[in-house]
Amino acid sequence: MSTPSQVDVRRAIAGAQTVVVKVGSSSLTQPSGHLDPERLDALVCALAAAHMQGARVVLVSSGAIAAGFGPLGFDARPSDVATQQATAAVGQGLLMARYETAFARFGVRVGQILITAEDTIRPQQYRNVERTLTRLLDLGVVPIINENDSLASNEIRFGDNDRLSALVANLVRADALVLLTDVDALYTAPPSQPDSKRVAYVPNVIDALEDITVGGSGSKVGTGGMVTKLEAARVAAVSGIPTVLTCAAQAGPALMGDPVGTVFAPVKARGSSRRLWIGFAAEPRGIIVVDAGAAQAVRGGRASLLAAGALEVRGEFSAGDPVWVDDESGEHLARGLAGFDSEEIPQMLGRTTAQLKRFLGEQYAHPLVHRDNLVLV
Ligand SMILES: Nc1ncnc2c1ncn2[C@@H]1O[C@H](COP(=O)(O)OP(=O)(O)O)[C@@H](O)[C@H]1O
Ligand SMILES: N[C@@H](CCC(=O)OP(=O)(O)O)C(=O)O
C-alpha cells in the first residue's frame, strides 16, 4: 500500500461514513471533579452536525471518575481502586444524563454501552458487542461507550479509553478515528518543553515514534497521556483506519478534514477485525511454550498450534482466554485464544491429534490454539 498524502488522509476523514470519536476526561470536566457542561455541549454540537450530515458516529467518552469525585465531596481524583469504582458509578450517570440532554436538542438519541475487556475477548461476547453497536447505528443512535470502570477487575482491563477506542473503531469498521484531548496536536516533545513543535502529519506511526518524545498525562484527571494515544493511532493505522488527534474544541474542523491537529495515515489495508482484537484487547493470562518445529509453523502465519509441538503451559486460564505462544528461549511469537483450560493442557503436551483422540477422547483432538484465533506479534 503506497503512503497517502496528508490531504488524502484528511479528505478520507472528512468523507468517513462511520467515525469513532474518543474524548478524554480533561476535555469534559473541571479540575474540581465536576462536569463542564459548556464544553460537553460544544462537543455534542460538532458530533450532532456530523450525525445530521449522515455519518454514523460512535462516541467513546472518558470522564466518569473525573465527573464523580466532586459530587462525592473529594478534592482530587481518588487513587484507590474501590473509591475509583464507586466514583465512576456516580460520574457515569451524570455524564450520560448530560449527553442525553445535549444530544436531545438536536433530536439525536444516545445509547450507553459499558465494556469490560473480559466481556469482549471471547468470540461470542465480541460478536455480541459488534451486533449491538451495529444495530444501534442502524437505528440512528449515537452509542456512547466507556469502560465499565465500576466492575472491571484490575487484572484484566483496558485501563485507558484510547486503546479501547481504536479497538472499537476496528470493531465497527470505522473509516476514521478522532482522538480529542486537551492539547491541540501531537508535538515533537511534551508541549511543556519550550522547543517542542507541532507535528501535522504522521505518514507512518511506527517509524514516527523514533523522533518523538512522548510523556504522560498533562492533567490531574487524564490517564494515559500521549503514549496511549499513539498506541491507539498505531492500532488504527494497522487496521487501515486514519486517525486525527486534536483538542475537543477543534472537533468540528477535525471531522470536516480541516488542517488542524495531527493526522496519522493508515499503514495497512484493513484486516480481520477479530484477529486484531485478539492481538491488542487484553493481557494474556498464560503462556504456552512450543518447540522449534511448532515455533517455525506458528511464525509461518497459517498454522494452528497443535499439542504435538507444545512443551509446557504456564499460568491459569480458561478456554477462550488470551495466551502468549512463546518459543523455548521465552520470546513471544504470537497471541491467541486458548482452545482448552490451562489445567487440561499438561496431559495433551507432545501428543499428536491421533494420540489425543485415542487416549483422551474426541473432544481433545483439537488444536491448543486454532489458527483463526492466532495473531503473530
Ligand atoms: N509529545 C507530546 N505531544 C503532545 N502532548 C503530549 C506529548 N507528550 C505528553 N503529552 C501530554 O499528553 C496530554 C494528553 O493526555 P491525557 O492527559 O491522558 O489526556 P486525555 O484525558 O484527553 O486522555 C497532554 O495534555 C500533554 O501534556
Ligand atoms: N474510564 C475512565 C477514563 C479512562 C481514560 O482513558 O481516561 P482519559 O485519559 O481521560 O481518556 C473514566 O471514565 O473515568
Side-chain angles (χ1 to χ4, degrees):
M1 189 178 141
S2 62
T3 309
S5 69
Q6 180 182 168
V7 172
D8 289 340
V9 180
R10 291 191 184 271
R11 207 174 281 143
I13 292 169
Q17 279 275 307
T18 303
V19 56
V20 173
V21 178
K22 184 262 167 175
V23 61
S25 310
S26 54
S27 305
L28 299 168
T29 57
Q30 300 161 352
S32 60
H34 293 268
L35 278 175
D36 185 333
E38 273 169 32
R39 283 196 295 159
L40 188 148
D41 288 0
L43 168 68
V44 167
C45 193
L47 300 182
H51 177 86
M52 287 185 293
Q53 279 159 21
R56 289 153 74 90
V57 178
V58 178
L59 177 60
V60 176
S61 177
S62 300
I65 299 174
F69 72 76
L72 282 174
F74 296 111
D75 293 335
R77 194 181 197 276
S79 52
D80 69 290
V81 174
T83 315
Q84 278 178 0
Q85 295 193 305
T87 305
V90 172
Q92 182 65 26
L94 296 168
L95 199 57
M96 279 311 292
R98 189 70 205 186
Y99 273 129
E100 229 161 69
T101 309
F103 273 104
R105 287 183 305 163
F106 300 94
V108 180
R109 279 250 160 253
V110 296
Q112 171 182 269
I113 304 267
L114 298 178
I115 297 184
T116 60
E118 205 153 36
D119 281 342
T120 53
I121 196 71
R122 287 155 200 275
Q124 193 166 349
Q125 283 150 329
Y126 171 89
R127 275 191 282 275
N128 214 3
V129 179
E130 186 179 29
R131 199 182 49 199
T132 309
L133 283 175
T134 306
R135 194 76 193 108
L136 281 169
L137 290 170
D138 290 346
L139 290 167
V141 174
V142 172
I144 302 184
I145 300 176
N146 196 356
E147 179 158 19
N148 192 345
D149 296 306
S150 298
L151 295 183
S153 70
N154 232 19
E155 297 76 49
I156 173 164
R157 61 181 308 168
F158 294 108
D160 67 84
N161 278 341
D162 297 320
R163 217 158 50 105
L164 173 62
S165 68
L167 292 165
V168 168
N170 195 270
L171 190 78
V172 298
R173 294 173 184 77
D175 307 297
L177 173 65
V178 180
L179 297 174
L180 301 173
T181 180
D182 60 351
V183 58
D184 69 332
L186 171 69
Y187 282 75
T188 49
S192 50
Q193 292 187 20
D195 55 349
S196 65
K197 291 188 182 58
R198 175 186 157 215
V199 180
Y201 180 47
V202 178
N204 187 324
V205 62
I206 298 156
D207 300 345
L209 299 184
E210 286 163 23
D211 305 327
I212 289 167
T213 313
V214 289
S217 174
S219 72
K220 292 201 167 61
V221 288
T223 51
M226 210 34 71
V227 178
T228 51
K229 280 169 212 10
L230 290 183
E231 171 67 6
R234 186 177 73 83
V235 173
V238 301
S239 324
I241 301 170
T243 298
V244 54
L245 181 154
T246 189
C247 57
Q250 304 265 39
L255 283 161
M256 285 188 290
D258 290 354
V260 295
T262 304
V263 280
F264 300 82
V267 294
K268 216 169 119 179
R270 194 189 290 282
S272 144
S273 78
R274 208 174 86 74
R275 285 168 74 90
L276 196 95
W277 193 272
I278 296 166
F280 295 104
E283 266 313 298
R285 292 270 179 103
I287 299 174
I288 300 175
V289 182
V290 301
D291 65 19
Q296 199 183 358
V298 167
R299 274 199 198 95
R302 277 193 293 275
S304 293
L305 172 60
L306 302 179
L311 299 170
E312 194 188 335
V313 59
R314 296 190 199 137
E316 268 179 42
F317 51 84
S318 305
D321 280 345
V323 290
W324 288 117
V325 177
D326 282 12
D327 69 12
E328 285 178 85
S329 69
E331 194 189 326
H332 294 325
L333 303 171
R335 278 175 157 208
L337 301 183
F340 295 87
D341 294 351
S342 51
E343 61 200 29
E344 296 177 289
I345 296 177
Q347 56 183 340
M348 302 173 69
L349 296 173
R351 290 193 153 159
T352 63
T353 307
Q355 288 170 337
L356 290 171
K357 194 169 173 179
R358 185 161 359 122
F359 299 122
L360 299 174
E362 179 72 44
Q363 71 275 27
Y364 286 95
H366 298 285
L368 293 184
V369 183
H370 191 274
R371 64 168 179 270
D372 290 349
N373 292 332
L374 202 56
V375 180
L376 294 179
V377 291

